[in-house]
Amino acid sequence: MSVAELKERHLVATETVNNLKERLKQRRLALLDTDISGYSRSQGRTPVSFGPTDLVCCRTLQGHTGKVYALDWTTEKNRIVSASQDGRLIVWNALTSQKTHAIRLPCAWVMTCAFSPTGLSVACGGLDSVCSIFNLNSPTDRDGNMPVSRMLSGHKGYVSSCQYVPDEDTHLITSSGDQTCVLWDITTGLRTSVFGGEFQSGHTGDVLSVSINGSNSRMFVSGSCDGTARLWDTRVASRAVRTFHGHEGDVNAVKFFPDGNRFGTGSDDGTCRLFDIRTGHQLQVYSQQHADNDAPHVTSIAFSISGRLLFAGYSNGDCYVWDTLLAKMVLNLGSLQNSHEGRTRISCLGLSADGSALCTGSWDTNLKIWAFGGHRKVI
Amino acid sequence: MDEQEESQPSAATEGIDGRVAEHQIREEGEQDVNGQTQARIESSPNFIGRHRMAAAMSHLHNQINIIQEELDLLETYGESSLVCKEVILSVESIPDPLLTETIGPVEISWDRWFKATNNSRSNKRWI
């Protein structure tokens, strides 16, 4: 075949792909007869409302000397691990505000941290492209430093996010600036599977976030600078189960919805979205109008334990509480008394295992715990 | 980065010495804001093999198959309203400590954040 013919075939194939993508987009639009807020309103649901002293900041965890970049709760109730620009991980008892561990990291440029399901280990990763595991029971060395118990090396770019596979301390999933996600076997330190990457149908930009399905730990979702979120089955590394389009900027945060059949995303385009994993439908967009067309970026998201509330942290220090069913912003934790200082970015947030508290981490170097202190009506 | 260049396929012209010159064709990795794949031809002569072109074609054909599969599956899914109904049912079936109104049962431990701890100087509640 001549070169001209090869070029011609390539052009035709590219056009076919674009046409099919357009058809898919139109077909999806046609099936979106309603979004969640439209449907909920039609069913008589009204927005959640909070009194001024309902959701309050009940703890401030002070100790980091740099911006807080990441946090994670344990699966039992009260402990949190946080990672900071100061090059340390701190393990807190959030109930007593006490620090139980302060770990100086071999590489100060940390971006993510995670607690293992048993609470015995923590993992972190960052610009060193490595995910490091610390066993919290390890004795410190001569210099008072906690030794790394395992280093997971193999990524060719920064480690942006990590999460242990639920129910076992032996596997975790990382996302990376090298456009891949990896499932690791911690006991051997080896990669079990690589999702995406060269020659695979994976992300085409840095991957910034992962979330494993709490109801089915074989499924996880990733968010990327390519503007998409992808659903993966850990048994099939060669291609994503489904790709979710819609965002117009980097997808910084992804989080599974409590029922395991939906997931939320947060993006540089200033919006959060809710997608259905089975059908691929984009069920809802959560966004506010911004006068100057320069919407703050969504940095992090979390759902309340029922999914009724979506917490979203923004680059301008806002922390919106969205009613997920009515798509209405019902509270801004960033403007409450005792909130993080100034208009500093909320970089991370997470819900405690029993859903009774939210922790926010900020560039003001603090973490704050928020809980419901009002009168609760049981229906 | 070398890896980036590796994954960029190219059309080819035969050079004098029999090796193939490359005209860069941008691939799936280069998408415009609408997600449309760009297929611009730039003439920057490089020398690579035809196999690179074949790999690009194979990748495009994979994409075509994947999108076609999704289109076929889409026909079997219902409208979004069916899914919305599921979402409401799920949300309203789980007790939620952070809501003003929630189904039970309520756990006493939800309020532990407002109990005085042994360390506190008084027995005042937080609010």
Side-chain angles (χ1 to χ4, degrees):
Chain A
M1 191 176 301
S2 78
V3 161
E5 278 167 359
L6 276 170
K7 256 199 272 184
E8 178 62 31
R9 285 204 171 192
H10 191 276
L11 272 170
V12 166
T14 307
E15 207 180 309
T16 308
V17 167
N18 287 338
N19 287 340
L20 280 173
K21 275 184 183 174
E22 189 56 33
R23 258 180 69 194
L24 186 59
K25 189 170 156 190
Q26 294 306 324
R27 192 71 199 105
R28 280 210 174 279
L29 268 174
L31 284 173
L32 285 178
D33 57 337
T34 182
D35 60 10
I36 291 199
S37 65
Y39 184 79
S40 303
R41 273 196 305 271
S42 76
Q43 298 298 303
R45 300 301 189 276
T46 51
V48 168
S49 69
F50 288 106
T53 54
D54 282 345
L55 273 185
V56 290
C57 171
C58 55
R59 301 288 189 284
T60 297
L61 305 180
Q62 293 176 301
H64 280 300
T65 55
K67 300 170 180 174
V68 176
Y69 286 144
L71 69 90
D72 192 30
W73 288 84
T74 37
T75 43
E76 37 86 14
K77 285 179 188 148
N78 298 326
R79 290 188 303 153
I80 294 176
V81 62
S82 58
S84 163
Q85 185 193 37
D86 63 13
R88 283 173 209 277
L89 297 183
I90 296 181
V91 180
W92 315 79
N93 179 321
L95 195 58
T96 62
S97 301
Q98 282 171 338
K99 306 174 197 33
T100 60
H101 298 80
I103 303 171
R104 201 161 74 88
L105 297 172
C107 171
W109 308 109
V110 64
M111 296 172 73
T112 180
C113 59
F115 238 123
S116 71
T118 60
L120 296 175
S121 304
V122 291
C124 67
L127 290 183
D128 57 354
S129 304
V130 166
C131 187
S132 302
I133 313 285
F134 296 89
N135 184 328
L136 294 178
N137 291 331
S138 309
T140 50
D141 64 20
R142 272 177 309 186
D143 304 318
N145 292 324
M146 181 170 293
V148 179
S149 62
R150 177 68 75 199
M151 287 182 77
L152 306 176
S153 311
H155 274 304
K156 296 174 196 153
Y158 61 87
V159 174
S160 50
S161 180
C162 62
Q163 186 181 350
Y164 278 83
V165 176
D167 302 327
E168 34 168 321
D169 274 17
T170 54
H171 289 84
L172 65 74
I173 296 182
T174 51
S175 61
S176 170
D178 67 9
Q179 306 185 1
T180 70
C181 296
V182 171
L183 171 65
W184 301 87
D185 180 333
I186 297 172
T187 20
T188 59
L190 299 176
R191 288 172 288 189
T192 304
S193 301
V194 179
F195 304 91
E198 216 180 333
F199 309 126
Q200 312 276 40
S201 301
H203 282 294
T204 55
D206 298 12
V207 190
L208 300 176
S209 176
V210 281
S211 173
I212 302 176
N213 190 336
S215 313
N216 175 0
S217 57
R218 277 204 303 261
M219 307 295 282
F220 71 93
V221 123
S222 58
S224 164
C225 288
D226 66 12
T228 70
R230 282 171 214 242
L231 177 68
W232 303 90
D233 182 326
T234 54
R235 297 166 298 181
V236 182
S238 53
R239 53 168 275 199
V241 173
R242 182 166 283 110
T243 300
F244 300 81
H245 299 272
H247 277 297
E248 292 162 7
D250 297 358
V251 179
N252 298 314
V254 289
K255 198 58 67 82
F256 260 99
F257 198 64
D259 70 2
N261 292 319
R262 267 56 71 173
F263 68 91
T265 53
S267 165
D268 272 0
D269 67 9
T271 71
C272 299
R273 293 171 199 239
L274 188 69
F275 293 93
D276 181 74
I277 64 170
R278 194 183 59 91
T279 60
H281 289 327
Q282 179 183 281
L283 299 174
Q284 190 64 54
V285 179
Y286 303 92
S287 74
Q288 293 269 80
Q289 280 295 92
H290 284 269
D292 55 357
N293 254 8
D294 198 15
H297 301 170
V298 180
T299 60
S300 46
I301 60 169
F303 288 102
S304 70
I305 202 167
S306 67
R308 184 62 193 258
L309 303 175
L310 166 64
F311 299 98
Y314 294 79
S315 50
N316 67 350
D318 284 337
C319 185
Y320 284 176
V321 181
W322 292 93
D323 179 330
T324 48
L325 295 186
L326 280 306
K328 196 161 168 278
M329 194 272 283
V330 293
L331 196 60
N332 180 3
L333 298 180
S335 65
L336 290 185
Q337 211 181 3
N338 250 2
S339 187
H340 289 283
E341 280 166 52
R343 300 286 280 162
T344 42
R345 173 185 291 242
I346 306 286
S347 53
C348 50
L349 41 81
L351 202 73
S352 66
D354 67 347
S356 64
L358 174 79
C359 182
T360 52
S362 164
W363 280 10
D364 75 351
T365 76
N366 293 330
L367 291 93
K368 283 182 182 284
I369 310 292
W370 307 80
F372 185 86
H375 175 70
R376 201 178 271 122
K377 182 176 166 198
V378 182
I379 40 182
Chain B
M1 279 174 48
D2 281 349
E3 274 146 342
Q4 288 282 5
E5 284 151 16
E6 286 278 333
S7 64
Q8 280 181 4
S10 24
T13 53
E14 296 278 355
I16 310 168
D17 57 357
R19 293 172 71 200
V20 276
E22 169 193 276
H23 293 277
Q24 295 277 13
I25 296 182
R26 299 271 177 80
E27 237 294 349
E28 156 70 6
E30 312 291 317
Q31 288 186 357
D32 65 14
V33 284
N34 296 319
Q36 295 294 308
T37 301
Q38 294 298 314
R40 283 190 301 271
I41 318 274
E42 296 172 14
S43 24
S44 61
N46 265 323
F47 292 89
I48 56 99
R50 283 171 185 264
H51 69 275
R52 186 75 56 83
M53 182 61 150
M57 289 297 294
S58 166
H59 184 68
L60 279 172
H61 283 294
N62 277 345
Q63 273 194 276
I64 289 172
N65 289 337
I66 288 171
I67 301 176
Q68 189 61 63
E69 265 175 39
E70 191 169 342
L71 267 168
D72 294 338
L73 274 172
L74 206 49
E75 298 310 315
T76 68
Y77 300 146
E79 284 90 357
S80 55
S81 49
L82 299 169
V83 178
C84 293
K85 188 174 175 186
E86 280 176 26
V87 173
I88 295 188
L89 274 172
S90 145
V91 163
E92 294 181 342
S93 66
I94 302 175
D96 192 330
L98 295 176
L99 292 176
T100 43
E101 277 185 28
T102 178
I103 65 161
V106 166
E107 303 287 333
I108 299 187
S109 59
W110 288 356
D111 291 332
R112 63 187 183 281
W113 304 100
F114 301 102
K115 300 279 189 290
T117 64
N118 290 334
N119 294 337
S120 69
R121 283 190 275 171
S122 73
N123 283 327
K124 260 201 274 194
R125 291 174 68 91
W126 284 91
I127 54 159

